[in-house]
Amino acid sequence: MSFRTTPSVDYVEDVSPGSGSLPPRAWYASSDARSLSLNGSWHFRLSATAGAEDDSFAEEGYDTGNWAEVTVPGHWVLQGDGAFGSPIYTNHLYPFPVDPPYVPTENPTGDHLRVFDLPSDWPSDGGAVLRFDGVESCARVWLNGTELGEFKGSRLAHEFAVGELLKPGSNVLAVRVHQWSAGSYLEDQDQWWLPGIFRDVTLLHRPSGGAGDFFVHASYDHTTGEGTLRVDSDVDGRVSVPALDIDVATGEPVTVAVRPWTAETPKLYDGVLVTDGERVPLRIGFRTVVLEDGLIKVNGKAVLFKGVNRHEWHPEHGRALDLETMREDVLLMKRHNLNAVRTSHYPPHPAFLDLCDEYGLWVIDECDLETHGFTEQDWRDNPVDDDRWTPALLDRAARMVERDKNHPSIVFWSLGNEAGTGRGLTAMAEWIHGRDPERLVHYEGDWNCRDTDVYSRMYAFHDEVEKIGQQLDGGPHKRRELPFIQCEYAHAMGNGPGGLADYQELFEKYERLQGAFVWEWIDHGVRHAELGYAYGGDFGEELHDGNFVCDGLVFPDRTPSPGLIEYKKVIEPVRIEGDGASGTVHVTNKQDFADLSALAFEWSCQVDGETVESGSLAVPALAPGESAEVKLPEPPVDGRGGERQWTVRALLADDTSWAAKGHVVAWGQFAVGARPLPSFPATDRPVPDGGRITLGPAGFDARTGALLTIGGVEVGATPRLDVWRAPTDNDDGAEWQTDTRYGTLWRTLGLHRMRHRLVSVEAGDDALTVRTRVAPAAREVGLDTVYRWTSDGERLRLTVSVTPEGDWTVPLPRLGVRFGLPEADRVEWFGGGPGEAYPDTGKASMVGRWQSTVDGLQTPYVRPQENGARADVRWVELGGLRIEGDPEFWFTARRWTTEQLDAARHRTDLAAGDTVWVNLDHGQHGIGSQSCGPGPLPQYFLKAEPAEFSFVFSTTREERRLTD
């Protein structure tokens, strides 16, 4: 009888960072030393537990004939069509029992094996290093049957010395990856749990005398315009920067006149570090970061962060990103006026930081640390306050700092995210301050600022932010003397975020407020054949947080959402304001460092939304903070006499590295005068005819007063009062915000099940009047609603009067009318566009003439919800009808009802029907950011109060032609 011995897996639950790996050092993408990428197809075997298989697979000659294959970089749960398990999404709940450092026996373990040939010309001198840039969550490594060690710290680089183990010809690299480990307790980071080797694996030749670790110090003195360069290296060598005539020994400082690096002017100097065995290219940016006068200053100037949090994400590959996807992120950020990124909640692939250096983005580099799930037990047993875990925390801090220290874009090191407080964080801060005093330290959880150089918060409401700006927030003396940032705000989940402009007004008003970072960059939808994009719960997870993982400014395919378009407008680097009556434009440079010489300005004049004349506008190259009054030309003469407005745009004057000449950076729009309203004489009278009533071009049901036709256009459902919208993620609110979750309040009141009671149909001398009462079932509140129809013979006017009854304690979702058309496709309107807008998300809505299709009006939020409203509409044409509003209105049009939209959980749940449902809204409730932050500000509430609004219906010229 024989017994199989279970392999030892004690290292999986060891709180130490691992064993066998080399000390961390600076990361660089290339040098003249040889390297060999080991990315590609690997043999793969999945086991249900950590100790299910022995180590024999790591030996040379092992037969993997029945193994599957996976792609590295990659996550095994996103490969194999479900054969290798599924993703799990939780916001902060650990998907395993909280029993640190232990993890369940059910611990999916992936054995990876790659046989590679060492190139025949691989250098024989020196040594070699095997580098893993990212493995989740614990890895054990063998080369040619020899164990190298094991490591944790999923999003950090680990290197192993392998020179003596390499063989000419074939080599066997074996990696065992465990999904759960003690390290998982430090990586509860509001994202999908995705095991695997998800970043590059590279073999690096280390020539004799090759470069080891080095630290580029490149400061800038804004008073002299000079930069000082010193490169410290653990291997002696020389540093040359040809453009600056620098050629000095490592460790020796040199001061020369330079152009500084900033996010607005990202000047990099090409240099090279030369040792006896290696030449390493350097990209050097001179800049100095200090905390001075209570402000974060770079190169002597306070900066205002207009930032975003960025998780790494691809809808098919998870956190395995290629260089072009990373570049696409950076280019989109630059094109939408962002100037900063927080690498939530771990250091990104280092190539992303190279791109931030090149294109210009301020960076908060965040450590691979979050223990958020311990909030469920009031932070008891939190690893950051347990000395046993401190070596692991210090290892993570060191691996971040040492890997990324040569990037000028990084101005802050962040200790991590939502990990409570404790001695381990203090130890990390002390080590970082000692290792790199040339940058600042950030951590949001340190509200007393014991360890940090900035007061940082998440989702502080507008009123609190203003108190902080006024230094009326109290707190420890040290904190009151520090600058303030919101490392997370404006939760970009679904339709929203609202209130961005109100925040930005505060940031620009108080110098202590140095900006904020929207949560977050991208929706983490997983591409799914049946659902379109999947989110939490779609893979049968026991615990999940639903679509809370879809909270980005871009959709999973990186299409900008309306939220990103709005953010671009709110944070424009140039403010353009005007007085249409006087023809004067007030231009302000809101940048911190650059003047306006890179921009060209142009004006255009519109009449009823159509441009009648345009030209260039001479604006001085204003320095940062400067303003100028610029005179517009005389308004062009146009005989139409319609609504007039000016539009002024700031454009790139030339091609840049991130956008082409003509790219719109900022714009302003202002009316020349008030909108002229057309007269409407009510000349026709209602004419009863059996079961119908005729009024001008329209026919009505005599019994119900329902509109049946206008001209030759059949109306599928009569216009009637509508107050319901499919709640947005922000309407529904975060589960911990129990008092004012508007979606819940609306449902509780019954606004999703309003009933209409016909009171009377009155055919008078000059109008058809339909009186109704609209009210929710089971409640006594209601809305007395009167529809008054009049006609001038060709057109039909509807005036809606609404009077609330009872005690309305909640705002309305919307207020307007909804009706149905049997068919409609092309839509044209004069009003705000081209995209959607709501009361607190409308800064990017530009008044003009716009066209779309009904399908094109829809905003593809991963979880369906209210969307697609166009604001400030003067008139709209669709389905053969022209509809004019008094006053301006919002309109939406879709091929499903609001109720169907409300019931849908994925866009694939929505099926087009035979009716196009049109909403003409007098009012909409604000959007806010309550999926994690504040709800709408009071000025954006849609209160239940008396209202009157009108719409004029007529047939379009095309419809009249077809009818005639």
Side-chain angles (χ1 to χ4, degrees):
M1 181 179 293
S2 62
F3 296 93
R4 181 177 178 274
T5 302
T6 301
S8 173
V9 291
D10 291 346
Y11 64 91
V12 174
E13 297 175 329
D14 190 337
V15 299
S16 73
S19 63
S21 58
L22 296 168
R25 66 184 180 118
W27 193 98
Y28 51 94
S30 64
S31 74
D32 63 350
R34 288 289 300 275
S35 66
L36 177 66
S37 172
L38 299 179
N39 296 343
S41 181
W42 289 52
H43 299 289
F44 178 75
R45 174 181 66 187
L46 182 64
S47 303
T49 66
E53 301 287 348
D54 61 25
D55 306 340
S56 60
F57 83 103
E59 299 173 1
E60 297 177 79
Y62 184 87
D63 183 8
T64 59
N66 63 342
W67 284 29
E69 291 191 354
V70 294
T71 298
V72 172
H75 305 277
W76 70 68
V77 294
L78 295 181
Q79 304 183 56
D81 294 325
F84 306 142
S86 301
I88 300 170
Y89 168 62
T90 61
N91 168 30
H92 74 278
L93 297 174
Y94 289 105
F96 48 80
V98 181
D99 184 24
Y102 304 110
V103 294
T105 301
E106 298 86 358
N107 187 357
T109 296
D111 289 333
H112 299 69
L113 193 140
R114 170 74 189 264
V115 178
F116 66 93
D117 289 333
L118 196 68
S120 58
D121 58 348
W122 187 266
S124 58
D125 69 309
V129 164
L130 180 65
R131 183 174 69 201
F132 294 87
D133 283 318
V135 183
E136 183 176 330
S137 74
C138 174
R140 188 178 177 191
V141 187
W142 296 262
L143 182 63
N144 292 329
T146 297
E147 182 173 352
L148 303 180
E150 81 283 340
F151 63 89
K152 307 177 189 77
S154 298
R155 284 151 283 273
L156 299 162
H158 294 81
E159 294 182 328
F160 297 91
V162 297
E164 296 181 354
L165 299 176
L166 288 173
K167 301 189 306 183
S170 180
N171 291 263
V172 178
L173 175 59
V175 185
R176 172 163 287 168
V177 181
H178 306 282
Q179 176 158 16
W180 311 122
S181 70
S184 301
Y185 284 99
L186 304 180
E187 297 172 3
D188 187 22
Q189 295 151 319
D190 186 10
Q191 59 180 337
W192 294 97
W193 299 88
L194 298 173
I197 306 172
F198 68 94
R199 287 186 186 158
D200 306 291
V201 182
T202 311
L203 182 67
L204 303 168
H205 176 235
R206 303 312 304 135
S208 298
D213 189 23
F214 57 92
F215 196 162
V216 177
H217 302 271
S219 62
Y220 178 73
D221 186 337
H222 66 279
T223 63
T224 65
E226 294 178 321
T228 298
L229 175 66
R230 188 186 81 247
V231 179
D232 296 332
S233 172
D234 58 4
V235 175
D236 290 341
R238 297 193 67 80
V239 176
S240 64
V241 185
L244 298 175
D245 293 327
I246 291 176
D247 185 359
V248 295
T250 54
E252 181 178 326
V254 58
T255 300
V256 295
V258 298
R259 290 167 53 196
W261 189 97
T262 73
E264 296 167 8
T265 57
K267 174 61 180 177
L268 293 172
Y269 290 92
D270 290 323
V272 62
L273 168 63
V274 180
T275 67
D276 287 345
E278 189 174 12
R279 296 174 60 88
V280 180
L282 304 176
R283 303 210 76 190
I284 302 166
F286 291 87
R287 58 104 185 94
T288 295
V289 182
V290 297
L291 182 64
E292 183 178 84
D293 302 324
L295 298 173
I296 305 158
K297 293 185 178 181
V298 179
N299 302 338
K301 291 187 177 182
V303 296
L304 184 62
F305 297 115
K306 304 169 183 177
V308 69
N309 287 270
R310 175 187 176 269
H311 268 298
E312 295 182 306
W313 186 251
H314 187 282
E316 295 172 358
H317 309 303
R319 287 186 286 280
L321 298 189
D322 61 274
L323 178 62
E324 286 312 305
T325 298
M326 291 184 261
R327 190 186 306 275
E328 184 179 354
D329 279 348
V330 172
L331 293 177
L332 277 171
M333 290 176 187
K334 293 291 290 186
R335 290 168 185 165
H336 289 86
N337 294 333
L338 279 77
N339 71 0
V341 61
R342 176 180 175 228
T343 69
S344 53
H345 296 295
Y346 42 83
H349 192 293
F352 179 78
L353 298 174
D354 288 339
L355 295 168
C356 293
D357 295 341
E358 177 182 353
Y359 292 101
L361 289 169
W362 307 116
V363 174
I364 297 179
D365 197 2
E366 192 146 273
C367 195
D368 192 10
L369 173 63
E370 182 171 335
T371 64
H372 199 174
F374 284 89
T375 57
E376 295 296 309
Q377 54 202 60
D378 296 324
W379 297 107
R380 187 175 60 257
D381 299 327
N382 186 8
V384 304
D385 201 28
D386 184 335
D387 291 339
R388 295 176 301 165
W389 294 81
T390 300
L393 302 180
L394 290 172
D395 180 76
R396 289 172 183 245
R399 290 189 181 278
M400 170 183 68
V401 172
E402 302 296 4
R403 192 197 76 166
D404 297 342
K405 59 183 177 280
N406 294 325
H407 291 281
S409 56
I410 297 172
V411 293
F412 271 101
W413 300 116
S414 180
L415 303 181
N417 184 69
E418 291 178 316
T421 58
R423 299 183 298 275
L425 290 166
T426 298
M428 294 170 69
E430 290 175 348
W431 184 89
I432 293 174
H433 275 123
R435 176 59 175 145
D436 184 18
E438 298 169 355
R439 291 183 176 93
L440 306 179
V441 171
H442 167 273
Y443 177 62
E444 180 272 340
D446 184 13
W447 281 21
N448 289 331
C449 301
R450 178 181 65 178
D451 301 321
T452 59
D453 300 310
V454 63
Y455 178 27
S456 176
R457 288 281 300 281
M458 296 180 182
Y459 307 108
F461 287 20
H462 296 77
D463 56 352
E464 184 184 5
V465 171
E466 180 151 33
K467 289 180 180 178
I468 294 171
Q470 296 169 331
Q471 296 185 310
L472 299 176
D473 53 308
H477 177 74
K478 178 185 177 184
R479 189 180 86 183
R480 295 198 305 272
E481 293 186 330
L482 291 179
F484 175 80
I485 64 171
Q486 287 225 72
C487 66
E488 293 180 21
Y489 88 126
H491 198 248
M493 185 176 178
N495 188 334
L500 282 169
D502 306 276
Y503 271 122
Q504 194 65 25
E505 182 179 346
L506 295 173
F507 300 152
E508 295 178 9
K509 182 177 181 180
Y510 301 104
E511 68 173 4
R512 186 190 184 194
L513 308 180
Q514 292 198 248
F517 297 76
V518 168
W519 185 266
E520 64 155 311
W521 177 241
I522 189 169
D523 287 343
H524 299 200
V526 177
R527 188 95 65 188
H528 193 284
E530 298 175 0
L531 302 176
Y533 291 109
Y535 50 75
D538 288 334
F539 296 98
E541 303 101 304
E542 292 178 333
L543 291 173
H544 67 85
D545 286 290
N547 69 313
F548 203 69
V549 76
C550 295
D551 46 13
L553 291 172
V554 298
F555 297 125
D557 64 358
R558 285 179 162 74
T559 299
S561 75
L564 181 58
I565 305 302
E566 176 80 354
Y567 196 32
K568 174 186 177 180
K569 175 62 179 168
V570 166
I571 59 174
E572 285 175 337
V574 183
R575 179 184 290 124
I576 302 172
E577 301 168 311
D579 183 341
S582 67
T584 301
V585 180
H586 187 79
V587 179
T588 303
N589 182 359
K590 295 164 61 179
Q591 297 179 107
D592 296 323
F593 297 94
D595 64 22
L596 298 188
S597 59
L599 301 179
F601 290 77
E602 66 176 25
W603 62 269
S604 59
C605 183
Q606 290 83 38
V607 176
D608 288 339
E610 293 186 319
T611 297
V612 295
E613 195 167 337
S614 62
S616 61
L617 187 67
V619 175
L622 300 170
E626 287 187 346
S627 299
E629 299 282 346
V630 181
K631 191 71 175 175
L632 289 165
E634 290 297 319
V637 176
D638 185 273
R640 286 179 288 180
E643 181 178 355
R644 292 170 172 268
Q645 65 191 15
W646 294 99
T647 303
V648 175
R649 294 176 174 86
L651 317 161
L652 288 180
D654 296 292
D655 291 345
T656 69
S657 61
W658 50 270
K661 177 181 179 180
H663 168 78
V664 178
V665 173
W667 58 271
Q669 195 172 59
F670 29 95
V672 175
R675 172 194 171 199
L677 293 174
S679 62
F680 190 92
T683 57
D684 276 27
R685 60 179 298 173
V687 179
D689 183 12
R692 291 172 64 95
I693 295 176
T694 300
L695 178 60
F700 296 83
D701 184 294
R703 183 177 60 86
T704 64
L707 177 66
L708 302 175
T709 60
I710 301 177
V713 177
E714 294 186 5
V715 178
T718 189
R720 67 177 188 171
L721 192 75
D722 190 16
V723 299
W724 181 243
R725 73 184 187 195
T728 68
D729 291 314
N730 289 304
D731 289 338
D732 283 337
E735 61 182 13
W736 57 87
Q737 295 173 322
T738 56
D739 295 335
T740 55
R741 297 172 66 188
Y742 295 102
T744 300
L745 293 175
W746 294 336
R747 290 187 195 278
T748 300
L749 185 58
L751 299 187
H752 61 307
R753 46 181 171 80
M754 299 292 277
R755 298 293 181 258
H756 299 251
R757 177 169 64 87
L758 178 63
V759 176
S760 65
V761 179
E762 305 166 5
D765 290 339
D766 61 350
L768 175 65
T769 302
V770 181
R771 303 183 187 276
T772 68
R773 187 175 189 271
V774 183
R779 306 293 175 184
E780 65 177 356
V781 298
L783 300 169
D784 277 346
T785 307
V786 178
Y787 308 94
R788 189 173 188 270
W789 297 94
T790 57
S791 176
D792 66 356
E794 294 185 356
R795 297 174 297 167
L796 185 70
R797 182 185 183 101
L798 168 62
T799 299
V800 182
S801 302
V802 180
T803 304
E805 283 187 344
D807 184 15
W808 284 85
T809 59
V810 300
L812 297 172
R814 71 175 350 130
L815 181 67
V817 296
R818 176 171 66 167
F819 68 99
L821 292 173
E823 60 182 50
D825 185 27
R826 178 180 169 275
V827 184
E828 183 175 358
W829 72 98
F830 172 28
E836 73 180 26
Y838 292 82
D840 55 349
T841 68
K843 294 298 182 182
S845 182
M846 177 183 287
V847 174
R849 291 276 291 268
W850 308 103
Q851 293 185 8
S852 178
T853 62
V854 170
D855 293 339
L857 293 174
Q858 314 310 309
T859 303
Y861 296 115
V862 174
R863 185 191 74 81
Q865 55 198 272
E866 166 61 33
N867 74 89
R870 270 53 179 185
D872 301 314
V873 176
R874 281 73 163 156
W875 57 257
V876 59
E877 292 184 354
L878 77 165
L881 289 182
R882 178 184 175 95
I883 306 162
E884 299 175 76
D886 180 12
E888 294 84 6
F889 60 98
W890 281 270
F891 92 89
T892 60
R894 52 178 69 104
R895 300 186 188 279
W896 36 79
T897 65
T898 300
E899 291 72 23
Q900 291 169 327
L901 184 64
D902 189 11
R905 291 296 169 261
H906 295 86
R907 297 189 66 241
T908 51
D909 295 334
L910 294 168
D914 296 330
T915 300
V916 172
W917 294 96
V918 181
N919 276 90
L920 310 175
D921 290 320
H922 175 64
Q924 281 269 357
H925 187 62
I927 295 295
S929 185
Q930 203 173 11
S931 52
C932 196
L937 290 169
Q939 60 264 37
Y940 304 119
F941 284 17
L942 179 58
K943 296 179 181 179
E945 55 191 14
E948 184 172 284
F949 47 93
S950 298
F951 302 102
V952 176
F953 297 82
S954 59
T955 54
T956 62
R957 288 188 297 271
E958 178 66 15
E959 180 62 28
R960 288 194 293 272
R961 185 184 66 79
L962 293 174
T963 302
D964 295 342

